[in-house]
Amino acid sequence: MRIKLKKLAPELPTPRYAYDNDAGFDLYSRVDLLIGPGERKLIPTGIALQIPVGYAGFIQPRSGLALEHGIGIVNSPGLIDSGYRGEIAVILINLDKGKSFKVKKGDKVCQLVIQKIETPSIEIVEELDDTERGQAGWGSSGER
């Protein structure tokens, strides 16, 4: 499979997989900005994609940014539908309570995973089949 990628910021590195068989490839910031403690900011990545029908893109956090700086993604994973043709952007949040985080143009800010998806039709019913779990929710397995 091939994904068509349009570079909106030609000076940025072309997204690529760091290692053979990696699931995700890194995306880069198109801007310089500062994210204060507790703040969230939209970071444009300088690319647009043509994801084939039957697939979707999922924006994932970078573990190094999370561990070293407390940087996460507000709506993780971010979903990119196959029909979207605009610039890919990521909503970063600074979870560090005391330090601001500086994003520089060209920094790796997230990774993108392309996955095959299903689009089932929805059937309205009055009742759902019973299961052993039923309606038991959070913590119902007794493991914490």
Side-chain angles (χ1 to χ4, degrees), residues 92-122:
L92 294 185
I93 186 166
N94 181 356
L95 299 170
D96 191 289
K97 294 182 171 133
K99 290 192 265 183
S100 293
F101 179 73
K102 184 173 185 177
V103 177
K104 294 180 292 208
K105 183 176 183 174
D107 283 353
K108 294 176 183 178
V109 290
C110 62
Q111 52 188 329
L112 179 65
V113 175
I114 304 295
Q115 291 181 292
K116 188 166 183 53
I117 55 138
E118 299 291 330
T119 52
S121 60
I122 297 173

Side-chain angles (χ1 to χ4, degrees), residues 56-112:
F58 296 90
I59 299 285
Q60 306 282 340
R62 297 193 70 240
S63 57
L65 289 180
L67 178 63
E68 297 168 21
H69 303 285
I71 300 300
I73 297 177
V74 176
N75 63 325
S76 181
L79 170 64
I80 305 165
D81 291 308
S82 63
Y84 179 66
R85 295 294 185 268
E87 183 171 13
I88 305 301
V90 59
I91 307 167
L92 294 185
I93 186 166
N94 181 356
L95 299 170
D96 191 289
K97 294 182 171 133
K99 290 192 265 183
S100 293
F101 179 73
K102 184 173 185 177
V103 177
K104 294 180 292 208
K105 183 176 183 174
D107 283 353
K108 294 176 183 178
V109 290
C110 62
Q111 52 188 329
L112 179 65

Side-chain angles (χ1 to χ4, degrees):
M1 173 188 18
R2 289 192 175 274
I3 301 288
K4 292 183 179 180
L5 184 145
K6 180 177 180 182
K7 290 184 80 168
L8 305 173
E11 68 279 10
L12 291 179
T14 299
R16 64 179 183 81
Y17 295 95
Y19 299 99
D20 290 343
N21 302 312
D22 277 357
F25 55 87
D26 292 319
L27 301 183
Y28 304 88
S29 175
R30 184 173 56 80
V31 296
D32 293 319
L33 54 77
L34 192 66
I35 308 173
E39 286 186 329
R40 60 188 179 271
K41 298 277 177 91
L42 184 67
I43 314 295
T45 66
I47 64 164
L49 299 173
Q50 183 174 323
I51 299 172
V53 172
Y55 292 83
F58 296 90
I59 299 285
Q60 306 282 340
R62 297 193 70 240
S63 57
L65 289 180
L67 178 63
E68 297 168 21
H69 303 285
I71 300 300
I73 297 177
V74 176
N75 63 325
S76 181
L79 170 64
I80 305 165
D81 291 308
S82 63
Y84 179 66
R85 295 294 185 268
E87 183 171 13
I88 305 301
V90 59
I91 307 167
L92 294 185
I93 186 166
N94 181 356
L95 299 170
D96 191 289
K97 294 182 171 133
K99 290 192 265 183
S100 293
F101 179 73
K102 184 173 185 177
V103 177
K104 294 180 292 208
K105 183 176 183 174
D107 283 353
K108 294 176 183 178
V109 290
C110 62
Q111 52 188 329
L112 179 65
V113 175
I114 304 295
Q115 291 181 292
K116 188 166 183 53
I117 55 138
E118 299 291 330
T119 52
S121 60
I122 297 173
E123 176 185 358
I124 305 297
V125 297
E126 295 296 322
E127 296 293 327
L128 301 175
D129 294 344
D130 287 330
T131 66
E132 181 180 350
R133 181 176 180 175
Q135 294 184 31
W138 294 274
S140 65
S141 67
E143 297 176 21
R144 297 191 199 276

